[in-house]
Each structure stands twice: as C-alpha cells, then as structure tokens.
Amino acid sequence: MVNGDAVPANGTAPGQRRERGPGRRVLLVSTNYAPEQAGIGPYAAQLAEHWAAQPDWDVHVLAGMPHYPAWRTDPDYRGVWRATELREGVRVHRRRHTVPPRQTAGRRALYEASILAHGLLAPPRLGGRPHAVVAQLPSLAGALLGARMARGAGVPFIPVVQDLMGAAAAQSGIRGGDRAAAPARCVERRVLAAATLVGVIHESFTDRVAALGVPRSRIRTVPNWTHIADPSRPRAETRARLGWREDETVVLHSGNMGLKQGLEVLIETARLLDGRRGSTADGAGEAGEQGTRAPGGAAPKRLRVVLMGDGNQRPHLARLAAPLPGVELLPPAADADFPDVLAAADVLAVTQRASVLDMSVPSKLTSYFAAGRPVVASVAAGGGTAGEVRRSGAGVLVPPEDPAALAAALRDLAADPARAAALGAAGRAYATGHLGRTAALERLTALLEEALTLAPAPGRRPAGLRAARARGRRGPLPGAAEGATRHQGGTA
C-alpha cells in the first residue's frame, strides 16, 4: 500500500519515535530496492535492514519506484511522485522516474536522467549529516547522487559495484550501446574517482575498476550472498502443483528476461531437441516426445524448458516459444514459493550473450547454488560467471549461444542422475560455506567502518564546516524521528 501512511513492518506506528544514541547515520543510494524480488533489490534491502538492526544506527535509502524485472512500475506505486516509507526500520525515500518498457541506449539514458533530476530537485531529508554514503552501481544516476551528497557533507563515499554500465552498454547488445559505452565509462570514472573505497561483488570486476583509474589499494571484494530460504515443501508436491511430470527433465531459468541473458539459446535448444524427439544414443526411439536419453536404455525423458520471470524481452521470447510444446513461460514466483520452485527443477540454467564477459555476475547464481540443483551455464569461458561456476563445482559450462552444445549437456545430465546429484550437492555446500548472509553483511559493514577511518577522497569539502552547517539547518546528529508517510509532492 502506498496511498496514505505506510504500515511499518516492524510495528513502529507512524510518527512514533524510537530512542537512539549517538550511532551511525548512513545513506544507501540504490535505485532498486524492496519489494523488488530479483536482481539488486533484495541485496540492498537486506544490507539496509542489517544496518538498521545495529544499536543506534539511523539508516536511510534513496530509491526509485519498484519496477524490476518487469520494467513496469509496481501498480501500488503508480501515480506516486514522491514517497517516504518505513520498511523494517529503514526509512526509504522514493522518487519517481521514467520506466522504459523496451531497452535502447536512448531510453536507458532518459531513465538515468530522470532519476538524477528528481534526486537533485528533492534530496532526502535525513535529519542531520550522514556519517557515510553508500551507492549501488550500475545506476549511474544513483552513483552521481551518492557522490554529490557525500561530497556536500564531507563524508566517505563508498560505491559497491554490482554491474558496470559502460561494459554493459558495449556487451549486452542493447541498441545504441556501442555509442553509449564511452560516455557511461566517463561517468563511472568520475564517480569511482570520488570514492573513499570501492566494493566489487566479484574479483573479475577488479581489473575493470582499476582500469577506470581506481588504485587497487582502494578496491575491496564484497561478494553477494544467498538471500533465499530453504525449500519448505517436498519436490513432488511442488512439481505436481506446477504441472511438471516426474518422467520429464525440467530445465529452469529464473530471473530477468533481458537482452544480455540471450535466452533465445534455450528456446533454440528446445527446438533442436524437439526436432530430434524420440532419438536415443543409438538413433532409436519413440515419436511424439521431445526427449533426452535415459539411463539403462530406458525410454527418453521428455524435456521441459521453463523461463520464469519478467523483463523487456518476455514478449519476444513468448512469440519464439509459442510453437514449441516443450517451452513454458511462467511469471515470477512469490518470495515464499521461490525456493520450492528452484528445488523442484532438475537443472537450473544461466545464459549470457557471447559478448558478456566482465559487466556482471548474475545474482541468480547464489540462489541456484542454495537450491541444490545442477547448473548448466551457457556463458563465455573467460567471464566472471564461468569462474564462479567453476569455483563452486556446481555445474557444467558450455559455449554461449550454442544450442547444440547446450542440448548435449542437458542430455548428458539427464542420462547421469548420480552426476547431476553430485553437482547439486556441491553447489549447496558452496552456498553454505562461502555465500552465508551473516558473513557477507559483516564484510560490507567492515568496508563501511574502514572507510570511516580514512580521509575522504581528494576534493571533498571539510567535514567540520559542513557538519556545523548541517546541524544548524537539519538538527543534531543521529536521532531522526521515525514515521512513515506518503507524498504526492514535496520533499520527503
């Protein structure tokens, strides 16, 4: 609900004040935030909520309107110009922006410009000077806003690189991206130069960030974490509910349906297998089945390719899949159902265009590993995604945009259940041992605390003068009253 006062999830009534001491006041700038369920939003929300749970911390988030991965504004937020809400102890300041249903470089530039303009026109009221500003990239506008607010307050600025927009423009295949790549890299260079420290979610980003002029001594690796719960229902129950037969191999891709994912390869793989339906290793089989080999000379298992999620390429993919009975498109699963759906699949797929190397590491991997199912990754061998799959031991790598190679890998996994189970178990062990939420959030907290011990980046205004002015204008350091209000206009 966004019409009228928000209902705080932690039970604090609108206008009610919680007692706080002289702790940290932190601003997180993240265009994507809860209630978004995919991509960066869940990580931003869990980070902010972790900090808000610390004694005497006052945590604010400057965010956009929920719109990802559908690239449509959440119905509850349509028509809202500005909003302030309290979510799990975090004060979220939302600003309206354009949401392009189809992606081109020009539309993406307008999207970023609208975020920047509204943030400049109506900066969030924090109740005092922050101790630090953290920003989530790839949003160039969010990073610029974060750098500007940190510089104005004379406090550390810490960008966390989830994706790189300059590399994305060049590698994702977006129309006009080749022309937009250089300007985007210029903005990233400027933003990162203002940083006290830079966090990257994977070491494969380090070289790219260093090439943008950031000394390696200022780069810290802060990996993402598994943010989903364990499955709560038996696999057979979930498969029955979804209409997935026990005698078929279900290959599931979950998440954004965008250009960089190159999901056409999954549909072409299904088409290829459909053309060979009933074929077995020796060429014999049953007509009428889209099949993969089964062990021991048994009849081939039917293959079902499921694309679950949303994104600007969904209508295009639906058209491609329409003639194929073995391809199914599902809407995003609800939070409570998501772990069960992942665990109910036989194989979890991650795909990327061949050009995608170091622009991103899909956030879905952390959920895939936790689900305990084998992963088939159709990605460039030299990219960060391939490196993470190798490190986990949880999956099989195949060349990107190669339906024949992907089909062969799926047939091999279907024919070897013991290997598939071993890969899934390796992913689960990797998630448990290396992708724990508590350790990851503590690494990000340590990054913040380290930045607070360092001098701000060159060119910052002295903090003392800015602090004095801030206290005169906006009240004393931490202790902002907490409530939750929605605004159709005005600063929030």
Side-chain angles (χ1 to χ4, degrees), residues 27-30 62 116 120 130 132-136 139-153 155-159 191 194 460:
L27 172 64
L28 172 63
V29 184
S30 181
L62 176 58
L116 179 63
L120 291 173
V133 178
V134 180
Q136 296 263 24
S139 174
L140 299 179
L144 285 168
L145 289 168
R148 176 185 174 90
M149 286 184 278
R151 183 175 63 251
V155 301
F157 171 56
I158 309 119
V191 165
R460 287 258 167 82

Side-chain angles (χ1 to χ4, degrees), residues 71-92:
W71 287 96
R72 295 185 298 272
T73 302
D74 185 300
D76 285 343
Y77 290 82
R78 288 175 188 163
V80 177
W81 184 245
R82 296 171 194 156
T84 300
E85 61 194 44
L86 191 66
R87 301 183 68 95
E88 300 296 335
V90 178
R91 187 180 294 274
V92 184

Side-chain angles (χ1 to χ4, degrees), residues 392-429:
S392 69
V396 177
L397 295 173
V398 300
E401 302 184 53
D402 188 339
L406 185 52
L410 293 174
R411 285 196 301 267
D412 289 345
L413 276 178
D416 194 347
R419 183 185 178 216
L423 292 171
R428 178 69 177 168

Side-chain angles (χ1 to χ4, degrees), residues 200-217:
V200 296
I201 64 162
H202 197 267
E203 61 268 18
S204 62
F205 289 143
T206 300
D207 288 346
R208 178 75 70 166
V209 170
L212 290 169
V214 180
R216 291 179 182 271
S217 62

Side-chain angles (χ1 to χ4, degrees), residues 91-185:
R91 187 180 294 274
V92 184
H93 309 262
R94 298 192 186 273
R95 302 292 180 262
R96 188 176 180 180
H97 50 82
T98 66
V99 179
R102 291 185 298 157
Q103 293 288 303
T104 66
R107 291 189 179 104
R108 182 64 185 235
L110 180 60
Y111 165 80
E112 295 283 351
S114 67
I115 294 169
L116 179 63
H118 205 163
L120 291 173
L121 286 171
R125 291 178 176 173
L126 308 183
R129 182 176 65 89
H131 288 88
V133 178
V134 180
Q136 296 263 24
L137 275 70
S139 174
L140 299 179
L144 285 168
L145 289 168
R148 176 185 174 90
M149 286 184 278
R151 183 175 63 251
V155 301
F157 171 56
I158 309 119
V160 176
V161 178
Q162 298 270 355
D163 289 330
L164 287 164
M165 185 63 68
Q171 298 176 17
S172 67
I174 189 172
R175 193 172 71 189
D178 52 345
R179 297 188 300 274
R185 281 193 291 267

Side-chain angles (χ1 to χ4, degrees), residues 283-331:
E286 299 175 10
E289 286 293 326
Q290 177 176 305
T292 58
R293 294 193 307 273
K301 295 188 72 174
R302 182 178 184 272
L303 178 77
R304 181 193 293 263
V305 172
V306 180
L307 307 180
M308 183 176 75
D310 211 337
N312 56 68
Q313 294 299 297
R314 185 184 173 102
H316 165 66
L317 295 168
R319 288 191 295 271
L320 292 179
L324 297 172
V327 181
E328 177 182 16
L329 273 69
L330 294 178

